[in-house]
Amino acid sequence: MILDRFRLDDRVAVVTGAGRGLGAGIALAFAEAGADVLIAARTRDQLEEVAALIAATGRHAHIVVADLAHADATAALAAEAVAAFGRLDIVVNNVGGTMPGPLLNTDVKAMRDAFAFNVGTAHALTTAAVPLMLEYAGGGSIINITSTMGRLSGRGFAAYGTAKAALAHYTRLAAADLCPRIRVNAIAPGSMLTSALEIVSGNEALRTPMEQATPLRRLGTAEDVAAAAVYLASDAGSYLTGKVLEVDGGLTSPNLDLPLPDL
């Protein structure tokens, strides 16, 4: 049965930034597909809510409360997963983000911090996880969460977009280094109705123009990205590596313009 290839039965995943939004959606989807999941973020209450949802599927969640802006804390999750579950098959580098702002107000430190948070943490966890994936599972799948702003141009996203573009190309380079036993792919979400867009979800005046500027005429959901993650993590995606799936409703230009004036 083709649907059997999407199962993740008895595999173990690490998902960073899993307290809410895309990370929480991916972690829950993995559990529904049969995996146990280490979920990590800064806020215990949020993680406990996600863990309860995972438990309701019959699978297990292991909570790690940590500031994942620090690469050492992120790298430690790989060994924590093996200690908790005895193996490691899947890593989702979801934690990241950078506030938008005008280019001329973005100093070198802000650019460096954006790169460290969006790329450095992914590299830290990847390099820590790969030896354990090979030792305990014989291989595995790594999924990096980039962004549509890593390929589209829009005002205010110099730091964020540059970092996410770097993460997309890091995906291709890591895939080449780690094949054939470790697959490395990425998902580039567009505008998603998660906590990151709370200001939009309840504001029809903001949401409607964004929907109309999206070819599929709606904004995305965590489930849209989670479905792509299950595909990439499972045997269904076993012939993909070094690829970026654009889960963005068909965007070819940004659907939200920041009100930054001309020079």
Side-chain angles (χ1 to χ4, degrees), residues 142-209:
I142 296 171
I143 302 168
N144 298 319
I145 305 301
T146 65
S147 170
T148 188
M149 293 311 300
R151 66 180 179 86
L152 303 179
S153 58
R155 286 183 176 178
F157 291 98
Y160 178 76
T162 300
K164 289 302 190 181
L167 183 58
H169 197 50
Y170 173 86
T171 297
R172 302 180 189 102
L173 297 171
D177 276 358
L178 300 178
C179 65
R181 295 172 66 189
I182 304 290
R183 297 185 297 108
V184 187
N185 293 289
I187 300 170
S191 299
M192 298 289 159
L193 285 172
T194 65
S195 55
L197 279 183
E198 284 177 339
I199 191 173
V200 171
S201 60
N203 187 329
E204 186 174 349
L206 287 176
R207 188 181 69 252
T208 298

Side-chain angles (χ1 to χ4, degrees), residues 223-244:
E223 289 78 10
D224 292 321
V225 174
V230 169
Y231 171 55
L232 292 176
S234 69
D235 291 344
S238 63
Y239 202 51
L240 278 77
T241 196
K243 303 305 178 186
V244 179

